[in-house]
Coordinates of all heavy atoms in Angstrom, one line a residue:
G1 N 19.3 -12.3 22.8 CA 20.3 -11.6 22.1 C 20.0 -11.8 20.6 O 19.3 -12.7 20.1
G2 N 20.6 -10.8 19.8 CA 20.5 -10.8 18.4 C 21.7 -11.4 17.7 O 22.6 -11.9 18.4
K3 N 21.7 -11.3 16.4 CA 22.8 -11.7 15.6 C 23.5 -10.5 15.0 O 22.8 -9.6 14.5 CB 22.4 -12.7 14.5 CG 21.8 -14.0 15.0 CD 21.5 -14.9 13.9 CE 20.9 -16.2 14.5 NZ 20.7 -17.2 13.4
L4 N 24.8 -10.5 15.0 CA 25.6 -9.4 14.5 C 26.7 -9.8 13.7 O 27.5 -10.7 14.1 CB 26.1 -8.6 15.7 CG 26.9 -7.3 15.4 CD1 26.1 -6.3 14.8 CD2 27.5 -6.8 16.7
L5 N 26.8 -9.2 12.5 CA 28.0 -9.5 11.6 C 28.8 -8.2 11.6 O 28.3 -7.1 11.3 CB 27.5 -9.8 10.2 CG 28.6 -10.0 9.1 CD1 29.5 -11.1 9.5 CD2 28.0 -10.1 7.7
V6 N 30.1 -8.4 11.9 CA 31.0 -7.2 12.0 C 32.1 -7.4 10.9 O 32.7 -8.5 10.8 CB 31.7 -7.1 13.4 CG1 32.7 -6.0 13.4 CG2 30.7 -7.0 14.5
V7 N 32.2 -6.4 10.1 CA 33.2 -6.4 9.0 C 34.2 -5.2 9.1 O 34.0 -4.2 8.4 CB 32.5 -6.4 7.6 CG1 33.5 -6.6 6.5 CG2 31.4 -7.5 7.5
P8 N 35.2 -5.4 10.0 CA 36.1 -4.2 10.1 C 37.0 -4.2 8.9 O 37.4 -5.2 8.4 CB 36.9 -4.6 11.4 CG 36.8 -6.1 11.5 CD 35.5 -6.5 10.9
M9 N 37.3 -3.0 8.5 CA 38.2 -2.8 7.3 C 39.6 -2.6 7.8 O 39.9 -2.2 8.9 CB 37.8 -1.6 6.5 CG 36.3 -1.6 6.1 SD 35.9 -3.0 5.1 CE 36.8 -2.7 3.6
V10 N 40.6 -2.9 6.9 CA 42.0 -2.7 7.3 C 42.2 -1.3 7.6 O 41.8 -0.4 6.8 CB 42.9 -3.2 6.1 CG1 44.4 -2.8 6.4 CG2 42.8 -4.7 5.9
G11 N 42.9 -1.0 8.7 CA 43.1 0.4 9.1 C 41.9 1.0 9.8 O 42.0 2.2 10.1
S12 N 40.9 0.2 10.1 CA 39.7 0.8 10.8 C 40.0 0.9 12.3 O 41.1 0.6 12.8 CB 38.5 -0.1 10.6 OG 38.6 -1.3 11.3
H13 N 39.0 1.3 13.0 CA 39.2 1.4 14.4 C 38.9 0.1 15.2 O 38.1 0.1 16.1 CB 38.3 2.5 14.9 CG 38.5 3.8 14.3 ND1 39.7 4.6 14.6 CD2 37.9 4.5 13.3 CE1 39.7 5.7 13.9 NE2 38.6 5.7 13.1
W14 N 39.5 -1.0 14.7 CA 39.2 -2.3 15.3 C 39.5 -2.3 16.8 O 38.8 -3.0 17.5 CB 39.9 -3.4 14.5 CG 39.8 -4.7 15.2 CD1 40.8 -5.5 15.8 CD2 38.6 -5.5 15.4 NE1 40.3 -6.6 16.3 CE2 38.9 -6.6 16.1 CE3 37.2 -5.2 15.1 CZ2 38.0 -7.6 16.5 CZ3 36.3 -6.2 15.5 CH2 36.7 -7.3 16.1
L15 N 40.6 -1.7 17.2 CA 41.0 -1.8 18.6 C 39.8 -1.2 19.5 O 39.6 -1.8 20.6 CB 42.2 -1.0 18.8 CG 43.5 -1.5 18.1 CD1 44.7 -0.6 18.3 CD2 43.8 -2.9 18.5
S16 N 39.1 -0.2 19.0 CA 38.0 0.3 19.8 C 36.7 -0.6 19.6 O 36.0 -0.9 20.5 CB 37.6 1.7 19.4 OG 38.7 2.6 19.6
M17 N 36.6 -1.1 18.4 CA 35.4 -1.9 18.1 C 35.4 -3.2 18.8 O 34.4 -3.8 19.2 CB 35.3 -2.2 16.5 CG 35.0 -1.0 15.7 SD 35.0 -1.4 13.9 CE 33.9 -2.8 13.8
Q18 N 36.6 -3.8 19.0 CA 36.8 -5.1 19.6 C 36.2 -5.1 21.0 O 35.5 -6.1 21.3 CB 38.2 -5.5 19.6 CG 38.4 -6.9 20.2 CD 39.9 -7.4 20.1 OE1 40.8 -6.6 19.9 NE2 40.1 -8.7 20.3
E19 N 36.4 -4.1 21.8 CA 35.8 -4.1 23.1 C 34.3 -4.1 23.0 O 33.6 -4.8 23.8 CB 36.3 -2.8 23.8 CG 35.9 -2.8 25.3 CD 36.5 -1.6 26.0 OE1 37.5 -1.1 25.6 OE2 35.9 -1.2 27.0
V20 N 33.7 -3.3 22.1 CA 32.2 -3.3 22.0 C 31.7 -4.6 21.5 O 30.7 -5.1 22.1 CB 31.8 -2.2 21.0 CG1 30.3 -2.3 20.6 CG2 32.2 -0.8 21.5
V21 N 32.4 -5.3 20.6 CA 32.0 -6.6 20.1 C 32.0 -7.6 21.2 O 31.1 -8.4 21.4 CB 32.9 -7.0 18.9 CG1 32.7 -8.5 18.6 CG2 32.6 -6.2 17.7
E22 N 33.1 -7.6 22.1 CA 33.2 -8.5 23.2 C 32.0 -8.3 24.2 O 31.5 -9.2 24.7 CB 34.5 -8.4 23.9 CG 35.6 -8.9 23.0 CD 37.0 -8.7 23.6 OE1 37.1 -8.0 24.7 OE2 38.0 -9.1 23.0
K23 N 31.7 -7.0 24.5 CA 30.6 -6.7 25.4 C 29.3 -7.2 24.9 O 28.4 -7.7 25.6 CB 30.5 -5.2 25.7 CG 31.7 -4.7 26.5 CD 31.7 -5.2 27.9 CE 32.8 -4.6 28.7 NZ 33.0 -5.2 30.0
L24 N 29.0 -7.0 23.6 CA 27.8 -7.5 23.0 C 27.7 -9.0 23.1 O 26.6 -9.6 23.4 CB 27.7 -7.1 21.5 CG 27.4 -5.6 21.3 CD1 27.6 -5.2 19.8 CD2 26.0 -5.2 21.7
S25 N 28.8 -9.7 22.9 CA 28.8 -11.2 23.0 C 28.5 -11.6 24.4 O 27.8 -12.5 24.7 CB 30.2 -11.7 22.6 OG 30.2 -13.1 22.7
E26 N 29.1 -10.9 25.4 CA 28.9 -11.2 26.8 C 27.4 -11.0 27.2 O 26.9 -11.7 28.1 CB 29.7 -10.2 27.7 CG 31.2 -10.5 27.7 CD 32.0 -9.5 28.5 OE1 31.4 -8.6 29.1 OE2 33.2 -9.5 28.3
R27 N 26.7 -10.1 26.5 CA 25.3 -9.9 26.8 C 24.4 -10.8 26.0 O 23.2 -10.6 26.0 CB 25.0 -8.4 26.4 CG 25.7 -7.5 27.4 CD 25.3 -6.1 27.1 NE 26.0 -5.2 28.0 CZ 25.8 -3.9 28.1 NH1 24.9 -3.3 27.3 NH2 26.4 -3.2 29.0
G28 N 25.0 -11.8 25.4 CA 24.1 -12.9 24.7 C 23.9 -12.7 23.2 O 23.2 -13.6 22.7
H29 N 24.6 -11.8 22.6 CA 24.4 -11.6 21.2 C 25.4 -12.6 20.5 O 26.5 -12.9 20.9 CB 24.8 -10.2 20.7 CG 23.8 -9.2 21.3 ND1 22.6 -9.0 20.8 CD2 24.0 -8.3 22.3 CE1 22.0 -8.0 21.5 NE2 22.8 -7.6 22.4
E30 N 24.9 -13.2 19.4 CA 25.7 -14.0 18.5 C 26.5 -13.2 17.6 O 25.9 -12.5 16.7 CB 24.9 -15.0 17.8 CG 25.6 -16.0 16.9 CD 24.7 -17.0 16.2 OE1 23.5 -17.1 16.6 OE2 25.1 -17.5 15.1
V31 N 27.8 -13.1 17.7 CA 28.6 -12.2 16.9 C 29.6 -13.0 16.0 O 30.3 -13.9 16.5 CB 29.5 -11.3 17.8 CG1 30.3 -10.3 17.0 CG2 28.6 -10.5 18.8
V32 N 29.6 -12.6 14.7 CA 30.6 -13.2 13.8 C 31.4 -12.0 13.2 O 30.8 -11.0 12.8 CB 29.9 -13.9 12.6 CG1 30.9 -14.3 11.6 CG2 29.1 -15.1 13.1
V33 N 32.7 -12.1 13.3 CA 33.6 -11.1 12.8 C 34.3 -11.6 11.5 O 34.9 -12.6 11.6 CB 34.6 -10.6 13.8 CG1 35.5 -9.6 13.3 CG2 33.9 -10.1 15.1
L34 N 34.1 -10.9 10.4 CA 34.7 -11.3 9.1 C 36.0 -10.5 8.9 O 35.9 -9.3 8.8 CB 33.7 -11.0 8.0 CG 34.1 -11.4 6.6 CD1 34.3 -12.9 6.5 CD2 33.1 -10.9 5.6
V35 N 37.1 -11.2 8.9 CA 38.4 -10.5 8.9 C 39.2 -11.0 7.7 O 39.1 -12.2 7.3 CB 39.2 -10.7 10.1 CG1 38.5 -10.1 11.3 CG2 39.6 -12.1 10.4
P36 N 40.0 -10.1 7.1 CA 40.9 -10.6 6.0 C 42.0 -11.5 6.5 O 42.4 -11.3 7.7 CB 41.4 -9.3 5.4 CG 41.3 -8.3 6.5 CD 40.1 -8.7 7.3
E37 N 42.5 -12.4 5.7 CA 43.6 -13.3 6.1 C 44.9 -12.5 6.4 O 45.6 -12.8 7.3 CB 43.9 -14.3 5.0 CG 42.9 -15.3 4.8 CD 43.2 -16.3 3.7 OE1 43.8 -15.9 2.7 OE2 42.7 -17.4 3.8
V38 N 45.1 -11.3 5.7 CA 46.2 -10.5 5.9 C 45.7 -9.2 6.5 O 44.9 -8.5 5.9 CB 47.0 -10.2 4.6 CG1 48.1 -9.2 4.8 CG2 47.5 -11.5 4.0
S39 N 46.1 -8.9 7.8 CA 45.6 -7.7 8.4 C 46.6 -7.3 9.6 O 47.4 -8.1 10.0 CB 44.2 -7.9 9.0 OG 44.2 -8.9 9.9
W40 N 46.4 -6.1 10.1 CA 47.1 -5.6 11.3 C 46.2 -5.7 12.5 O 45.1 -5.4 12.5 CB 47.5 -4.2 11.2 CG 48.4 -3.8 10.1 CD1 49.6 -4.4 9.7 CD2 48.2 -2.8 9.1 NE1 50.1 -3.7 8.7 CE2 49.3 -2.8 8.2 CE3 47.2 -1.9 8.9 CZ2 49.4 -1.9 7.2 CZ3 47.3 -1.0 7.8 CH2 48.4 -1.0 7.0
Q41 N 46.8 -6.1 13.6 CA 46.2 -6.1 14.9 C 44.7 -6.6 15.0 O 43.9 -6.0 15.7 CB 46.2 -4.6 15.4 CG 47.6 -4.1 15.6 CD 47.7 -2.7 16.1 OE1 46.7 -2.0 16.0 NE2 48.8 -2.3 16.6
M42 N 44.4 -7.6 14.2 CA 43.1 -8.1 14.2 C 43.1 -9.4 15.2 O 42.8 -10.5 14.7 CB 42.6 -8.5 12.8 CG 42.6 -7.4 11.8 SD 41.3 -6.2 12.1 CE 39.9 -7.1 11.6
E43 N 43.4 -9.1 16.4 CA 43.4 -10.2 17.4 C 42.0 -10.7 17.7 O 41.1 -10.0 17.6 CB 44.1 -9.7 18.7 CG 45.5 -9.3 18.5 CD 46.1 -8.7 19.8 OE1 45.5 -8.8 20.8 OE2 47.2 -8.1 19.7
T44 N 42.0 -12.0 18.0 CA 40.7 -12.6 18.3 C 40.6 -13.1 19.7 O 41.6 -13.4 20.3 CB 40.4 -13.7 17.3 OG1 41.4 -14.7 17.4 CG2 40.4 -13.2 15.8
T45 N 39.4 -13.4 20.2 CA 39.2 -14.0 21.5 C 38.1 -15.1 21.3 O 37.6 -15.2 20.2 CB 38.7 -13.0 22.5 OG1 37.4 -12.6 22.2 CG2 39.6 -11.8 22.6
Q46 N 37.8 -15.8 22.4 CA 36.8 -16.8 22.3 C 35.4 -16.2 22.4 O 34.4 -16.9 22.4 CB 37.0 -17.8 23.5 CG 38.3 -18.5 23.4 CD 38.3 -19.5 22.2 OE1 37.3 -20.1 21.8 NE2 39.5 -19.6 21.6
A47 N 35.3 -14.8 22.6 CA 34.0 -14.2 22.8 C 33.2 -14.2 21.6 O 32.0 -14.0 21.7 CB 34.3 -12.7 23.3
Y48 N 33.8 -14.3 20.4 CA 33.0 -14.3 19.2 C 33.6 -15.2 18.1 O 34.8 -15.6 18.2 CB 32.9 -12.8 18.6 CG 34.3 -12.1 18.6 CD1 35.2 -12.3 17.5 CD2 34.7 -11.3 19.6 CE1 36.4 -11.7 17.5 CE2 35.9 -10.7 19.6 CZ 36.8 -10.9 18.6 OH 38.0 -10.3 18.6
K49 N 32.8 -15.5 17.1 CA 33.3 -16.4 16.0 C 34.0 -15.5 15.0 O 33.5 -14.4 14.6 CB 32.1 -17.1 15.4 CG 32.5 -18.0 14.3 CD 31.3 -18.7 13.7 CE 31.8 -19.6 12.5 NZ 30.7 -20.3 11.9
V50 N 35.1 -16.0 14.5 CA 35.9 -15.3 13.4 C 35.9 -16.1 12.2 O 36.1 -17.3 12.2 CB 37.4 -15.1 13.9 CG1 38.2 -14.5 12.7 CG2 37.4 -14.2 15.1
V51 N 35.6 -15.4 11.1 CA 35.6 -16.1 9.7 C 36.6 -15.2 8.9 O 36.5 -14.0 8.9 CB 34.2 -16.1 9.1 CG1 34.3 -16.6 7.7 CG2 33.2 -16.9 9.9
T52 N 37.6 -15.9 8.3 CA 38.5 -15.1 7.5 C 38.2 -15.2 6.0 O 37.5 -16.2 5.6 CB 40.0 -15.7 7.7 OG1 40.0 -17.0 7.3 CG2 40.4 -15.5 9.1
H53 N 38.6 -14.2 5.3 CA 38.4 -14.3 3.8 C 39.7 -14.0 3.1 O 40.5 -13.2 3.7 CB 37.3 -13.3 3.4 CG 37.6 -11.9 3.7 ND1 38.2 -11.1 2.8 CD2 37.3 -11.1 4.7 CE1 38.4 -9.8 3.3 NE2 37.8 -9.8 4.5
P54 N 40.0 -14.6 2.0 CA 41.2 -14.4 1.3 C 41.3 -13.0 0.7 O 40.3 -12.4 0.3 CB 41.2 -15.4 0.2 CG 39.8 -15.7 0.0 CD 39.1 -15.5 1.3
V55 N 42.5 -12.5 0.7 CA 42.8 -11.2 0.0 C 44.0 -11.4 -0.9 O 44.8 -12.3 -0.7 CB 43.1 -10.1 1.1 CG1 41.8 -9.7 1.9 CG2 44.2 -10.4 2.0
S56 N 44.1 -10.4 -1.9 CA 45.2 -10.6 -2.9 C 46.5 -10.0 -2.5 O 47.5 -10.1 -3.2 CB 44.7 -10.0 -4.2 OG 44.4 -8.6 -4.0
Q57 N 46.6 -9.2 -1.4 CA 47.8 -8.6 -1.0 C 48.5 -9.3 0.1 O 47.9 -9.9 1.0 CB 47.6 -7.1 -0.7 CG 46.6 -6.8 0.3 CD 46.2 -5.3 0.4 OE1 45.3 -5.0 1.1 NE2 46.9 -4.4 -0.3
T58 N 49.8 -9.1 0.2 CA 50.6 -9.6 1.3 C 50.7 -8.6 2.4 O 50.4 -7.4 2.1 CB 52.0 -10.0 0.8 OG1 52.7 -8.8 0.4 CG2 52.0 -10.9 -0.4
L59 N 51.2 -9.0 3.5 CA 51.4 -8.0 4.6 C 52.4 -7.0 4.2 O 52.2 -5.8 4.5 CB 51.8 -8.8 5.9 CG 51.9 -7.9 7.1 CD1 50.5 -7.3 7.4 CD2 52.3 -8.8 8.3
E60 N 53.4 -7.3 3.5 CA 54.4 -6.3 3.0 C 53.8 -5.3 2.1 O 54.0 -4.1 2.2 CB 55.6 -7.0 2.3 CG 56.7 -6.1 1.8 CD 57.8 -6.8 1.1 OE1 58.0 -8.0 1.3 OE2 58.5 -6.1 0.4
E61 N 52.9 -5.7 1.2 CA 52.2 -4.8 0.3 C 51.3 -3.9 1.1 O 51.2 -2.7 0.8 CB 51.4 -5.6 -0.8 CG 52.3 -6.3 -1.8 CD 51.5 -7.2 -2.7 OE1 50.4 -7.8 -2.2 OE2 51.9 -7.4 -3.8
L62 N 50.6 -4.4 2.1 CA 49.8 -3.6 3.0 C 50.6 -2.6 3.7 O 50.2 -1.4 3.8 CB 49.0 -4.6 3.9 CG 48.0 -4.0 4.8 CD1 46.8 -3.4 4.0 CD2 47.4 -5.0 5.8
D63 N 51.7 -3.0 4.2 CA 52.6 -2.0 4.9 C 53.0 -0.9 4.0 O 53.0 0.3 4.4 CB 53.8 -2.7 5.5 CG 53.5 -3.6 6.7 OD1 52.5 -3.4 7.3 OD2 54.4 -4.5 7.0
N64 N 53.4 -1.3 2.8 CA 53.9 -0.2 1.8 C 52.8 0.7 1.4 O 53.0 1.9 1.1 CB 54.5 -0.9 0.6 CG 55.8 -1.6 0.9 OD1 56.5 -1.2 1.8 ND2 56.1 -2.6 0.1
A65 N 51.5 0.2 1.4 CA 50.4 1.0 1.0 C 50.1 2.1 2.0 O 49.6 3.2 1.7 CB 49.2 0.2 0.7
F66 N 50.4 1.8 3.2 CA 50.1 2.8 4.3 C 51.4 3.4 4.8 O 51.5 4.3 5.5 CB 49.3 2.1 5.5 CG 47.9 1.8 5.1 CD1 47.6 0.6 4.6 CD2 47.0 2.8 5.3 CE1 46.2 0.3 4.3 CE2 45.6 2.5 5.0 CZ 45.3 1.3 4.5

């Protein structure tokens, strides 16, 4: 397996991407997902490693922006 870094953006198609990321992990790939500390529906599983990064906006500001 290879190494894969996934950087989903807020509002991206993470719900679809998550299934692909989990399948790649099941097939032996080492997967790291870089997610913002404040986000929507960025659920995680044991299938891959998650690294969070700080962002300057709150969840309320994110809601208002969209």
Side-chain angles (χ1 to χ4, degrees):
K3 295 183 179 186
L4 179 66
L5 175 64
V6 179
V7 186
M9 304 304 291
V10 172
S12 74
H13 301 286
W14 173 245
L15 297 177
S16 299
M17 288 176 58
Q18 185 176 12
E19 185 175 337
V20 172
V21 168
E22 288 174 358
K23 291 292 183 189
L24 288 168
S25 180
E26 288 173 9
R27 293 182 178 185
H29 298 281
E30 181 181 338
V31 181
V32 175
V33 179
L34 182 64
V35 299
E37 289 177 332
V38 176
S39 62
W40 298 308
Q41 300 178 342
M42 300 290 286
E43 297 175 11
T44 61
T45 70
Q46 297 295 322
Y48 47 84
K49 180 179 179 181
V50 174
V51 176
T52 59
H53 63 89
V55 292
S56 60
Q57 56 191 170
T58 65
L59 188 56
E60 183 178 339
E61 291 171 331
L62 187 60
D63 287 340
N64 291 333
F66 287 93

